[in-house]
Amino acid sequence: MQYGPDPNSIYPNEKIKSVCYIKNVITRPNIIVGDYTYYDDISGAERFEEHVTHHYEFLSDKLIIGKFCAIAKGIEFIMNGANHRMCSVTTYPFNIMGHGWEKATPVLEDLPFKGDTVVGNDVWIGQNVTVMPGMHIGDGAIVAANSVVTKDIPAYHIAGGNPVRIINKRFDDDLIGYLLELKWWDWPTHKIFDNLDILCSGDLTRIKEIK
């Protein structure tokens, strides 16, 4: 029996080519994406990697995205390679222009490094969102369209703006704690299939009926 789309397909629905499972189109080893997470872009959803910029292997930073995330078109993950030296008089990157200016190549210790960028599970990111280096977006979070994520967003919170600010919690603390322990995204496919009506219900008390 089939319990949903194949997580190893590029297009979960062959009739909708604007939606692509990211895991199956990435080529960079420093991008890690979970099952069922998709990017939606009519201009080429399968070109998701083009929206992860300044990502250089020698810096060793990773973009890690969990399962069941929904990412709208226009996303940009800016990675640590975009950073310039800020401890000197000028931030100008003379070294990359060549022609003798290589002598001003900074040592890595002089460049700001924010670590890995991590997006949790079941995260919804709206259109034209920019995520700055090293940000962490928690499970179940929602990021409003046109936001610039400059600070971490807690699990099951709604955030938006430029710079991003926390707008509200999606649920009360008890339910957030329960969902973080439940981790429905790690269930086997048959259990998710059998409980779709509860997972998609507006009656939040029903989630505690699941055994």
Side-chain angles (χ1 to χ4, degrees), residues 50-86:
E50 296 177 9
H51 301 271
V52 184
T53 62
H54 308 283
H55 201 194
Y56 309 123
E57 288 191 26
F58 71 89
L59 289 176
S60 300
D61 57 338
K62 295 181 175 62
L63 171 60
I64 302 169
I65 305 175
K67 302 176 183 177
F68 291 97
C69 293
I71 302 176
K73 68 178 181 179
I75 185 69
E76 183 169 11
F77 290 98
I78 300 177
M79 305 301 287
N80 285 281
N83 288 324
H84 291 207
R85 176 171 45 199
M86 295 191 294

Side-chain angles (χ1 to χ4, degrees), residues 109-161:
E109 290 76 16
D110 285 346
L111 297 174
F113 186 82
K114 304 295 185 180
D116 296 336
T117 298
V118 180
V119 178
N121 304 280
D122 190 24
V123 172
W124 174 22
I125 299 179
Q127 290 187 178
N128 303 316
V129 168
T130 299
V131 181
M132 300 302 286
M135 298 299 102
H136 287 212
I137 302 174
D139 296 326
I142 297 173
V143 184
N146 302 307
S147 297
V148 178
V149 180
T150 56
K151 65 179 181 180
D152 293 349
I153 300 172
Y156 290 100
H157 281 59
I158 301 169

Side-chain angles (χ1 to χ4, degrees), residues 143-189:
V143 184
N146 302 307
S147 297
V148 178
V149 180
T150 56
K151 65 179 181 180
D152 293 349
I153 300 172
Y156 290 100
H157 281 59
I158 301 169
N162 179 11
V164 79
R165 62 179 181 85
I166 305 303
I167 297 171
N168 209 344
K169 293 180 184 178
R170 292 184 60 196
F171 313 120
D172 63 40
D173 289 341
D174 287 342
L175 183 54
I176 289 174
Y178 181 83
L179 292 172
L180 290 175
E181 287 189 14
L182 189 69
K183 296 182 179 178
W184 67 264
W185 44 82
D186 287 337
W187 290 350
T189 54

